[in-house]
Structures are given as structure tokens and as C-alpha cells.
Amino acid sequence: MLMTHPGRIGEERALSDALAMRDGAGFRPVARAAGKGYHFHGVPDVPVTVAWGDRDRILLPRQAAIARERLPHARHVTLPGCGHIPMSDAPDLLAETILSTTHPRP
């Protein structure tokens, strides 16, 4: 459900990731807040990229249109073949996406 290519990680990492998510201090508060309809108001003063996996089953790809509407100044990219955890599905693509946002500008 979280990734498109679960076979790319081993059993030990899958278990470790699941336990870290379950036991993480922020997981429950974020999950509770998500049901309340969080909305960001304002304009970020730093470069922002919203990257959406086209196979995400948690935040469905069609929801990217809402992100585009609510963050019109952000760069929006689709991560082909990626689920909700693109760092496991396509680590090089994700690194390239992050670096293209954070690289120094002249």
C-alpha cells in the first residue's frame, strides 16, 4: 500500500520502517490532524516542490490537483511509478527532485 515496489526492500527494513512509523512521536498527532482538514494559508518564502507519486494509494494522484490549487507558487511534479514512499520506489529520482529544488540559485 505504501510503495509500488515493495520487493526492493528486505523484510528487516520493512518491519523496522513499520515499527518506526507506529512508534514515532508524530504519527498519531499527524493522523488525527489529517482528519480535521488541515489547510495551509500563506505563501512560502522558500522554494517549494510538491512531488506526487502517480501510484500513491494514500494520497491519491487525483488529489494533486488540490495541492496545485492551494499552492500555486510551488513547483508540482509527478513521480512516475512511485507510491506514497518514493524514496524506496525511486531513490535516484527523488534525490534529483529534491536537489533541483534546493540547489543554490545565482
Side-chain angles (χ1 to χ4, degrees):
M1 184 170 186
L2 294 175
M3 61 188 78
T4 303
H5 306 286
R8 292 185 181 169
I9 65 170
E11 286 179 26
E12 191 172 310
R13 177 166 163 214
L15 177 59
S16 176
D17 287 354
L19 292 174
M21 187 168 45
R22 181 195 73 185
D23 297 337
F27 181 75
R28 285 181 179 85
V30 168
R32 280 192 297 274
K36 295 177 183 173
Y38 170 81
H39 296 284
F40 174 79
H41 300 283
V43 177
D45 59 358
V46 297
V48 173
T49 296
V50 177
W52 215 286
D54 68 354
R55 293 185 173 184
D56 193 328
R57 298 298 169 246
I58 305 295
L59 298 172
L60 300 176
R62 69 177 180 263
Q63 292 172 293
I66 296 168
R68 284 184 180 88
E69 179 183 305
R70 293 189 181 166
L71 288 168
H73 301 291
R75 180 175 73 118
H76 295 264
V77 298
T78 299
L79 301 174
C82 290
H84 192 66
I85 308 207
M87 61 285 279
S88 293
D89 285 326
D92 292 341
L93 174 61
L94 186 61
E96 180 183 309
T97 302
I98 292 168
L99 291 173
S100 71
T101 300
T102 61
H103 74 279
R105 289 179 167 64

